[in-house]
Amino acid sequence: MSSLGLLVLAACSGTGLEQAENVSPQGTAYDRELYDGYLTLARNEYEEGDYGDSDRFASRAIDAAAGGGVEPEAIEARRLPADKTAELASARQRLVAAQAAGSAARKPQETVDAQIAFDCWMQEQEENRQPGDIAGCREEFLTALASIEEQPTVAAAPPPPTPEPLPGPYTVLFEFDKSDLTVDARTALADVVEAAQKAGYQTINVSGYTDLMGSDLYNEVLSEQRANEVINFLVESGIEKEKIVGAGYGKADPVVAVQEPEIRNRRVEIKLER
């Protein structure tokens, strides 16, 4: 309460309400809501003939209107029953903690409601004559307090997007005992180059194979030649050589296990990998 408010209210008990009603709130929107709440308490007490408490609430309304940062009434400001002091002290501590955590910014109306109901509870508990009024103010306080004590929900970070699958794998075929690229092979490799330029790959794996005829050594060399032909085409088409891994595997891993010429085995497989 401001010193000016104390002097004025002390001069004539019961006149505080009129003074409070005539002030122009200057504080924040929160302060103005607090002013309205205390003004309501002052009017209620005035109508009941409790001019002392009416003046008391009117003074707090005036301080709120001035943006005075009015806090919940202090426990020692009231002559409370000994068996009720601990509960009210705990309630005030929770309210002040919620306000310190930013409840006025998150839930301004509920924070105002909690403070007004707390001061109402304090006043009614000091009088200790109207159990219904005490219970009503206490219940209003606890309801508002529960709301402002709720922690804001923090949305979980969305999972990282699943990367689009890389295109491929691609296969180019070769003529019997040849490593030259056919027209069809060049067309297929042009598709590989176009896909690679659009895809977020890290490595292009090039694997050469032969059919099952001939010696292992001969076919291993032939498969390496086929892989190198593909690598040369990719590099000449703009693919970074450092990102290409190539090898020849000869007769390993045949598509069709037959001891005769088989074009499906005479191949190079190209895979884009992350």
Side-chain angles (χ1 to χ4, degrees), residues 224-240:
E224 290 175 354
Q225 291 173 342
R226 289 171 175 168
N228 286 333
E229 284 293 317
V230 169
I231 292 171
N232 290 336
F233 182 97
L234 296 177
V235 173
E236 290 171 0
S237 300
I239 301 298
E240 297 176 62

Side-chain angles (χ1 to χ4, degrees), residues 176 211-213 256-263 265-266:
F176 178 72
D211 55 28
L212 302 184
M213 298 183 64
V256 183
V258 292
Q259 297 293 328
E260 59 185 48
E262 173 52 61
I263 191 171
N265 292 336
R266 301 194 299 270

